[in-house]
Amino acid sequence: MSFGQGGPQWGPGGSGSQPPQWGSQTPDWAALAEASESRNRRRRWLMVGGGALATVAIGAAVAVAVVSADGDNGQAANRPASELPASSDIPPDTTGPEPSFAETSAPPPLDPKDFISSKQKDTAPLSPDILFPGSRLTMGESRYEKGKTASTKDCASAAQGTLGTVLTKNDCTRLMRVTYSLDGVAVTVGVAVFDTEAQATKAKDDSDDKSVVQSLSGDGVPEFCRSAVCRSTTNSYGRYAYFTVAGFTNGKDVTQKDTKVFSTGDDLAEFSFRQIRRRGEAQATAAANE
């Protein structure tokens, strides 16, 4: 038996019921196909929607797991301020304050001049040979031979012209002398010692062009500058005033053209200053190392 065209036709009679009518029209295949496609689309959407819901569910589960894993470490950060412990409940810092140090600075260096400006501080041994050591002196290209030395507490006895009065008036306590010579020119240096710098400065200021230290001859140096014209200088440093007198050993007068005599006197005046300053430096160094 086949369905569709050419099938049997139920006629009247029988049980009286209407027999089924098998349609003779052709099926609407396009409608069937559209219905089938509609069902397929709904199925696909259901699958996609289910996957999305599963992803959201998994994400939520991971987030819960992360929060749970934080435990107590994350709870304090998420608590409101009212639930945080009071400052009195927080354990105190037991490390203690950092150590502090008072600001310090190196002491100022000792001034060498302080040690040669008064009798109280200038206590190192003193003599002509200590102040002017050795047997000769080299200054630049000049090499001077050292002659005789002398020292006296009667300062005026080793002075000429007005210098004796100047030294006595300012309470000179000692006058040391030394002579150097080179090529017929000799110079005597006289170093007068006072108790204070003020006295030495006053002696220098009171001196004039007639205040001359007496030349010292001997030890190969003949008498000089006792009657001839010679060149003299005066200066002071600390509690010391120092004087020079320079001239020819043959008794010749010194003139402005005799530069050799001038340079000799200047060399010995410079050396005297250096030696007095070194005396102060030595005592300042010794005091700093105590």
Side-chain angles (χ1 to χ4, degrees):
M1 179 178 70
S2 62
F3 298 95
Q5 292 180 345
Q9 297 291 328
W10 297 94
S15 63
S17 61
Q18 182 68 30
Q21 298 291 326
W22 299 102
S24 60
Q25 296 178 347
T26 302
D28 189 350
W29 299 107
L32 293 173
E34 183 178 352
S36 177
E37 179 63 24
S38 178
R39 287 193 299 273
N40 291 335
R41 282 200 301 268
R42 285 198 300 271
R43 188 178 297 111
R44 285 197 298 271
W45 278 112
L46 287 174
M47 293 178 66
V48 172
L53 290 175
T55 301
V56 172
I58 293 172
V62 172
V64 171
V66 170
V67 173
S68 298
D70 287 344
D72 294 338
N73 292 335
Q75 291 177 4
N78 297 325
R79 292 178 182 176
S82 59
E83 296 184 12
L84 293 176
S87 59
S88 59
D89 298 331
I90 299 175
D93 184 4
T94 59
T95 59
E98 293 184 359
S100 60
F101 302 93
E103 293 185 2
T104 60
S105 59
L110 299 176
D111 185 358
K113 191 177 180 183
D114 287 345
F115 289 85
I116 54 168
S117 294
S118 67
K119 178 182 177 180
Q120 285 71 26
K121 283 192 173 183
D122 188 14
T123 58
L126 179 63
S127 72
D129 289 321
I130 291 176
L131 202 58
F132 300 98
S135 59
R136 60 184 56 88
L137 169 65
T138 300
M139 295 286 288
E141 298 180 356
S142 300
R143 185 176 183 181
Y144 302 98
E145 295 295 326
K146 182 180 176 182
K148 191 174 181 179
T149 63
S151 178
T152 179
K153 293 182 179 180
D154 184 4
C155 300
S157 66
Q160 292 184 177
T162 60
L163 183 59
T165 302
V166 170
L167 297 178
T168 300
K169 182 176 66 175
N170 290 286
D171 298 323
C172 173
T173 61
R174 187 177 183 183
L175 180 59
M176 298 177 292
R177 291 181 295 165
V178 61
T179 296
Y180 290 88
S181 63
L182 174 63
D183 298 334
V185 176
V187 56
T188 292
V189 180
V191 179
V193 185
F194 301 85
D195 287 345
T196 66
E197 180 181 11
Q199 291 172 323
T201 302
K202 186 66 165 51
K204 179 195 70 174
D205 294 340
D206 289 345
S207 299
D208 54 28
D209 56 1
K210 294 181 180 181
S211 300
V212 181
V213 65
Q214 189 178 90
S215 63
L216 180 65
S217 59
D219 291 348
V221 179
E223 188 176 285
F224 68 102
C225 293
R226 292 296 180 90
S227 59
V229 175
C230 290
R231 193 246 182 168
S232 64
T233 66
T234 301
N235 216 326
S236 69
Y237 187 71
R239 70 184 186 114
Y240 301 89
Y242 52 98
F243 311 86
T244 68
V245 56
F248 295 106
T249 55
N250 61 7
K252 176 185 173 182
D253 289 341
V254 176
T255 67
Q256 294 290 335
K257 297 179 181 181
D258 295 318
T259 57
K260 188 176 180 180
V261 175
F262 281 77
S263 63
T264 298
D266 290 344
D267 280 349
L268 268 299
E270 174 67 18
F271 182 63
S272 299
F273 166 74
R274 292 180 185 180
Q275 288 301 96
I276 296 170
R277 183 180 63 185
R278 285 170 184 165
R279 177 178 174 83
E281 291 171 349
Q283 293 182 89
T285 300
N289 292 331
E290 289 180 353

